Amino acid sequence: MMGRLIVVSNRVPSDGPPSGGLVVALHDCLKHNGGVWFGTSGDIVEDPEDSFAELSGDGYKMRTFDLSPAEQQGYYLGYANSVLWPLCHRRADLMALNAGDYDVYDSVNRRLARMMAPELRPDDHIWIHDYHFLPLAACLRAEGVTATIGYFHHIPFPATHDLMALPQRDLFAGWMASFDLFGLQTQRDVAAALEMFRGLNGAEQLRDGSISLNDRRFEIRSFPIGIDADAFVKEAQSTDGRSLLNFAPDERLVIGVDRLDYSKGLDNRFRAFGRFLENRIVDEPRASLLQIAPPTREDVDAYQQIRDALEGTAGKVNGEHSDLGWTPIRYIHHAVPRDTLAALYRAADVGFVTPFCDGMNLVAKEFVAAQDPADPGVLILSQFAGAVEQMASALIVNPYDIGEMAQALKQALAMPLHERQDRHEALARGVFRNDVAHWTQTYLDTMARISTERAALT
Ligand code: GDG
């Protein structure tokens, strides 16, 4: 029988609607499976104690720890979000390599390992999430932890070429090899990770697909994350989304929903919508773009810049195309409740999902789940979202090509009902079958298999 499930992620859910893909997925996972969730509390205190606070979650326990102002800066805003995030999103040019941030990142991981180690049991299955904790398994091993440790990388695996720009590149493989299972979103990511190991001294890909490095042996596999599709359908049906909007009866709705992040391609999306409006035939029904883009990591410079650029583009497009009764881009820079979001997806004619680089992109799946199968909207999806590996029936676009995206909008808004239904049916089949419960189960089953195999070897 499997031991306890231990989850580690940067944040445990705080008050209000969970608004990051990771938090939503993990909350759903622990709610179904029970267990303990370790993560930061969100409180920044002058002299944090080396101990956890205990909170009870929705069917599970949460153990939280505080960060100091220096840790928040060096570990979270610095190394995790200004080095590893851009590195993994093909933006090595945006890496802010400040001396000292890595040391703080490393020390937070060591501190957490020290605090966790006495609470762990050898038969626990520890599931660590995301780039905030790449060295955590190595730190836990140094504390003597022998339990099975899995990791899931929610964001893309970095290109080998970009990794060369990371000062800690020589540590990266060792961090990975301290896990027993290194989970990635897509086959494309697995290929990138294997490429890194192919060029590495001392590393070998074994016949069963696992990797050996020095005295460690571990697996790299893809587990495309899903959503709680059934729950999403209920939320989408709870309100009439159009009644929330002050829209003309024949006005068409294009929707975008993203944390305001440079990886999401928002400025190009707005420009493509502007190009679409330029080419529009005057007596066609109007289409408006509703973009919900809650703020994120506002203390990082690159995020301030994207906000300024986006507001400039929205102002320009609206200035050119608005009239007294119509504003074509409605840009909301705060979070909306999840059920409102679901109802808005359902009311939309087009889901416009155009990241430059994305691990998976849950919005694409939420949009599909929320549609009315009898009269579904059309998904436009970037070829660089991980979701594209499972969502080939969307209209696939290149987010760098403004003209192509404008053309896709025209095609989506003119698409006949039978084609919309065919595409939606194919997409929905995948979204409902490969939902978050399937993702969790597949990952945990793989961890269980690995721990059984390891036990048989000892
Ligand atoms: C990371 C990876 C990967 C957004 N605005 C509101 C709101 N949201 C919710 C969406 C969706 C989630 O946030 C965003 O998830 P994504 O997957 O699109 O993107 P990231 O936040 O970057 O997530 C990503 C994911 O982890 C999971 O592995 O897919 O590639 O980057 O659920 O609905 N929710 C509410 N109000 C908002 O205003 N309630």
Side-chain angles (χ1 to χ4, degrees):
M1 205 176 93
M2 186 180 131
R4 299 179 307 169
L5 172 62
I6 308 288
V7 168
V8 184
S9 74
N10 178 54
R11 281 296 300 274
V12 297
S14 49
D15 296 339
S19 80
L22 170 62
V23 173
V24 172
L26 290 185
H27 171 78
D28 289 347
C29 158
L30 275 161
K31 198 171 148 187
H32 289 126
N33 294 277
V36 189
W37 188 342
F38 290 92
T40 63
S41 62
D43 293 337
I44 312 298
V45 302
E46 219 33 71
D47 210 356
E49 286 179 21
D50 268 4
S51 61
F52 293 113
E54 177 149 347
L55 310 171
S56 85
D58 191 357
Y60 55 91
K61 282 189 199 156
M62 287 189 279
R63 310 272 279 146
T64 64
F65 65 104
D66 302 332
L67 295 176
S68 70
E71 287 175 336
Q72 168 75 358
Q73 183 55 48
Y75 149 80
Y76 181 75
L77 295 172
Y79 198 75
N81 283 313
S82 301
V83 177
L84 294 174
W85 178 275
L87 173 77
C88 291
H89 288 87
R90 310 289 186 270
R91 291 302 304 268
D93 60 307
L94 291 180
M95 290 198 305
L97 297 174
N98 294 319
D101 282 356
Y102 169 69
D103 294 337
V104 180
Y105 174 82
D106 182 52
S107 77
V108 168
N109 274 276
R110 284 178 198 279
R111 179 158 84 89
L112 176 58
R114 253 194 335 269
M115 283 157 54
M116 282 179 69
E119 306 207 8
L120 299 174
R121 304 174 193 157
D123 66 343
D124 283 341
H125 285 184
I126 306 168
W127 193 9
I128 296 170
H129 290 264
D130 243 353
Y131 55 101
H132 312 84
F133 299 118
L134 278 166
L136 186 55
C139 299
L140 286 166
R141 301 293 182 211
E143 296 290 330
V145 172
T146 57
T148 304
I149 310 180
Y151 170 88
F152 189 76
H153 197 64
H154 289 257
I155 64 177
F157 194 84
T160 302
H161 175 268
D162 288 343
L163 257 174
M164 287 163 68
L166 184 72
Q168 292 72 32
R169 59 190 167 272
D170 294 339
L171 301 177
F172 210 88
W175 292 339
M176 289 176 69
S178 298
F179 295 99
D180 297 291
L181 176 60
F182 197 91
L184 292 159
Q185 298 272 26
T186 61
Q187 293 296 338
R188 189 153 74 183
D189 289 318
V190 171
L194 292 179
E195 184 189 321
M196 186 193 90
F197 278 95
R198 259 198 298 280
L200 197 71
N201 262 347
E204 193 187 346
Q205 185 167 4
L206 304 175
R207 245 188 283 156
D208 63 2
S210 60
I211 304 281
S212 85
L213 181 67
N214 304 326
D215 59 339
R216 295 278 321 161
R217 185 173 165 167
F218 75 109
E219 298 188 13
I220 301 175
R221 307 218 174 269
S222 76
F223 301 89
I225 197 168
I227 60 163
D228 187 346
D230 294 327
F232 220 81
V233 173
K234 286 200 196 92
E235 282 178 306
Q237 290 172 337
S238 62
T239 314
D240 171 12
R242 278 194 86 92
S243 71
L244 305 171
L245 301 161
N246 190 11
F247 263 37
D250 64 347
E251 190 169 336
R252 317 292 301 279
L253 173 61
V254 177
I255 193 167
V257 176
D258 312 75
R259 285 180 308 96
L260 185 49
D261 193 289
Y262 50 80
S263 65
K264 302 289 184 183
L266 290 167
D267 193 57
N268 271 14
R269 186 181 309 170
F270 280 17
R271 292 202 292 137
F273 193 73
R275 180 78 61 86
F276 160 77
L277 294 177
E278 278 162 29
N279 298 339
R280 163 177 167 261
I281 299 161
V282 177
D283 52 4
E284 269 175 358
R286 282 170 168 170
S288 300
L289 170 62
L290 173 63
Q291 177 64 53
I292 296 166
T296 178
R297 306 170 199 161
E298 285 176 300
D299 299 337
V300 175
D301 278 353
Y303 288 77
Q304 193 55 50
Q305 286 160 18
I306 163 92
R307 179 177 173 180
D308 293 346
L310 194 60
E311 287 174 1
T313 308
K316 187 164 178 288
V317 173
N318 280 338
E320 276 168 21
H321 298 281
S322 296
D323 61 29
L324 291 178
W326 179 49
T327 310
I329 296 183
R330 298 180 193 194
Y331 161 56
I332 299 181
H333 185 48
H334 55 78
V336 302
R338 203 175 174 202
D339 54 350
T340 305
L341 196 64
L344 289 169
Y345 286 137
R346 190 174 177 89
D349 300 280
V350 179
F352 205 14
V353 182
T354 58
F356 293 134
C357 192
D358 217 332
M360 176 56 57
N361 195 294
L362 297 180
V363 169
K365 297 187 171 184
E366 291 167 357
F367 175 80
V368 167
Q371 295 310 302
D372 173 1
D375 185 17
V378 178
L379 177 65
I380 297 179
L381 182 62
S382 160
Q383 68 195 61
F384 300 115
V388 84
E389 283 190 3
Q390 301 169 298
M391 303 186 92
S393 296
L395 288 183
I396 310 296
V397 293
N398 173 0
Y400 296 97
D401 189 337
I402 307 292
E404 185 188 306
M405 287 193 285
Q407 181 54 35
L409 279 171
K410 191 176 168 66
Q411 185 187 345
L413 287 164
M415 192 178 283
L417 178 63
H418 67 88
E419 185 180 348
R420 284 191 280 128
Q421 286 173 329
D422 288 350
R423 287 178 183 266
H424 175 260
E425 196 189 326
L427 291 170
R429 210 177 306 125
V431 168
F432 283 87
R433 189 179 298 155
N434 301 315
D435 65 358
V436 71
H438 173 84
W439 174 71
T440 310
Q441 203 51 53
T442 316
Y443 191 95
L444 295 179
D445 286 351
T446 309
M447 262 220 280
R449 175 191 45 82
I450 290 173
S451 62
T452 310
E453 285 171 7
R454 280 183 3 158
L457 287 176
T458 51

